Amino acid sequence: MQKLFLQQFIRFLIVIVMCILVSMAFINTFHYIYPLLIAVIISVIIHPFVRFLESITKLPRFLSVSFMMIGLILLFFGFLLLIVTEVYQGSLFLADQLPKHFHSFVLYLETFFNNHLLPLYKVVISFFHSLDPNQQVTINEYIRSLTDFVASSGTELLSSTLAKIPTMLAIVPGSLTTAIFILLATFMILNDFEDLKRILQRIIPVKAGKSLHELINHLKLAITGFFKAQLILIFISACLILTGLLILQVKHALTISLFAAAVDFIPYIGTGILFIPWILYTYSVSDYSMTIGLSILYMIVILSRQILEPKILSASIGIHPLIVLIGMFVGIQLWGFAGLLIAPLLIVLGNALYQSGFLQIIWNFIKE
């Protein structure tokens, strides 16, 4: 009995060590292999469409893949052109309107300074002159230390920002190279997809290949469902924002809604990067009706996303909403707002491992 337990414990440690080694290897090599991983994912997603085009048109594989890739690239650039056009028109509108709003903002700051800060300054000065000389010297030293700290911090911030500019510019050629590599790798994988599939089937044992095939299918369905859920949530948020801005009679509502949909992809921040400064500005210029309207719209967008996200995610990835909700709560506790993105992905991976039988295989290995 003790010998059996010891063997099971050793196998359990082997599984844990293998998981740690695989995770460390993946983390350390991800920076080098991520373009290839992206190319593989894109190829797996596009392959059914290429096969459909090939069966309908009876074209050679090479031409079917070429037409599909060209079509996707044209679709991407067409969508990009639409966004650029909307942003250009919105920029022209902002260039016309911003000077007026900036003038109003400056007048507000001037009024605030004259009515609030200047009387407070006079009170502080009168209080300062009522102190004895030693206290005045101490306060002056504190003020000098504070100004020196602010000046040094500002200088360091400016220097670090300027130092990052060459690094940011150096990213551009690397990004272009990576994008070209991803396109070429995607084309080659799609062109030889069936041959690569047969090679993998010959290399991997039959039993492991069946489980791996099930795992890939479950992961493909779950990841596709996850991103589909995110796109649905972003679409709902964009529609709510567009409807709200039209009700508030905001000009260029479509441009603003497209920008809101774009920033909604950003984790943790989302539409807050648009609404919070906008609400603060309208409040500062005493446009209280717009402030209330934007605040209500922002709360509706946030609440609708929080309410709908567990339900839509669960429907898309095939997991009960309660599990998704618990996972997101635990993810927030462990990783903060990043947990909202990490937790669903881990749930998707765990569900795929369970549905494909991988966890059962590992359990059987430990029990033997």
Side-chain angles (χ1 to χ4, degrees):
M1 184 68 181
Q2 290 180 349
K3 185 178 179 181
L4 178 63
F5 176 76
L6 181 62
Q7 289 175 345
Q8 291 175 346
F9 182 71
I10 291 172
R11 292 194 191 100
F12 175 74
L13 288 180
I14 291 171
V15 170
I16 296 297
V17 170
M18 288 299 297
C19 290
I20 293 172
L21 290 176
V22 170
S23 301
M24 290 178 63
F26 179 76
I27 292 169
N28 291 325
T29 59
F30 181 77
H31 180 72
Y32 304 102
I33 65 172
Y34 79 90
L36 185 61
L37 292 176
I38 294 173
V40 170
I41 293 169
I42 294 173
S43 302
V44 170
I45 294 171
I46 296 176
H47 174 65
F49 299 101
V50 174
R51 192 167 53 186
F52 175 76
L53 180 64
E54 193 177 8
S55 63
I56 293 295
T57 60
K58 306 301 180 183
L59 289 172
R61 180 77 178 183
F62 177 82
L63 290 177
S64 298
V65 173
S66 300
F67 285 139
M68 184 60 66
M69 294 287 292
I70 291 170
L72 288 174
I73 291 170
L74 290 177
L75 183 66
F76 171 76
F77 279 107
F79 183 70
L80 187 65
L81 181 63
L82 174 65
I83 293 176
V84 169
T85 304
E86 286 293 331
V87 170
Y88 174 73
Q89 293 177 352
S91 301
L92 291 178
F93 172 76
L94 289 175
D96 180 58
Q97 296 294 321
L98 273 180
K100 303 174 187 176
H101 292 294
F102 184 74
H103 181 66
S104 302
F105 186 65
V106 170
L107 289 176
Y108 170 79
L109 288 179
E110 184 180 352
T111 305
F112 181 78
F113 178 80
N114 290 330
N115 294 337
H116 298 87
L117 294 183
L118 193 58
L120 180 62
Y121 172 77
K122 291 178 179 177
V123 171
V124 171
I125 288 296
S126 61
F127 175 74
F128 179 77
H129 286 301
S130 65
L131 299 174
D132 60 67
N134 290 331
Q135 291 175 328
Q136 292 182 13
V137 169
T138 304
I139 293 174
N140 282 327
E141 288 177 355
Y142 278 126
I143 293 173
R144 192 178 300 109
S145 301
L146 179 62
T147 53
D148 290 342
F149 172 75
V150 171
S152 61
S153 301
T155 304
E156 289 177 6
L157 179 63
L158 183 61
S159 300
S160 61
T161 303
L162 293 174
K164 288 178 182 176
I165 292 176
T167 307
M168 294 172 65
L169 293 175
I171 291 173
V172 176
S175 301
L176 291 174
T177 305
T178 304
I180 293 170
F181 175 83
I182 291 171
L183 286 175
L184 292 174
T186 303
F187 179 83
M188 293 177 182
I189 293 170
L190 281 172
N191 194 44
D192 300 323
F193 193 89
E194 297 299 331
D195 294 334
L196 293 170
K197 187 176 177 181
R198 281 192 291 270
I199 291 170
L200 286 174
Q201 286 174 348
R202 285 199 301 268
I203 294 172
I204 300 172
V206 177
K207 189 175 180 181
K210 188 181 292 186
S211 298
L212 184 62
H213 181 70
E214 289 290 327
L215 175 63
I216 291 172
N217 283 338
H218 281 96
L219 275 176
K220 186 165 62 174
L221 290 172
I223 292 173
T224 305
F226 176 77
F227 285 106
K228 177 185 172 184
Q230 294 300 320
L231 289 174
I232 291 171
L233 289 168
I234 289 169
F235 177 74
I236 292 171
S237 297
C239 290
L240 287 172
I241 292 169
L242 179 61
T243 305
L245 294 180
L246 290 174
I247 293 172
L248 294 172
Q249 298 180 348
V250 175
K251 293 183 179 179
H252 294 278
L254 179 60
T255 304
I256 297 170
S257 301
L258 288 174
F259 177 74
V263 298
D264 207 17
F265 278 103
I266 303 173
Y268 330 132
I269 301 172
T271 53
I273 197 173
L274 170 68
F275 277 99
I276 293 173
W278 195 359
I279 291 168
L280 291 175
Y281 169 76
T282 52
Y283 177 77
S284 67
V285 296
S286 302
D287 191 355
Y288 299 121
S289 59
M290 183 62 73
T291 303
I292 295 170
L294 291 175
S295 301
I296 293 172
L297 177 59
Y298 182 49
M299 285 189 290
I300 290 172
V301 171
I302 293 295
L303 289 174
S304 63
R305 187 177 181 90
Q306 295 301 318
I307 293 169
L308 293 174
E309 188 167 14
K311 182 65 178 176
I312 293 175
L313 270 176
S314 64
S316 300
I317 63 181
I319 300 173
H320 195 277
L322 183 61
I323 297 175
V324 177
L325 190 63
I326 293 171
M328 291 172 68
F329 176 77
V330 173
I332 291 173
Q333 300 301 315
L334 293 175
W335 301 294
F337 284 106
L340 292 175
L341 184 64
I342 296 172
L345 290 175
L346 291 178
I347 292 171
V348 164
L349 179 60
N351 183 58
L353 289 170
Y354 174 74
Q355 295 292 339
S356 62
F358 255 80
L359 294 180
Q360 187 63 44
I361 292 171
I362 293 171
W363 179 248
N364 292 337
F365 169 74
I366 294 172
K367 285 178 66 178
E368 288 178 359

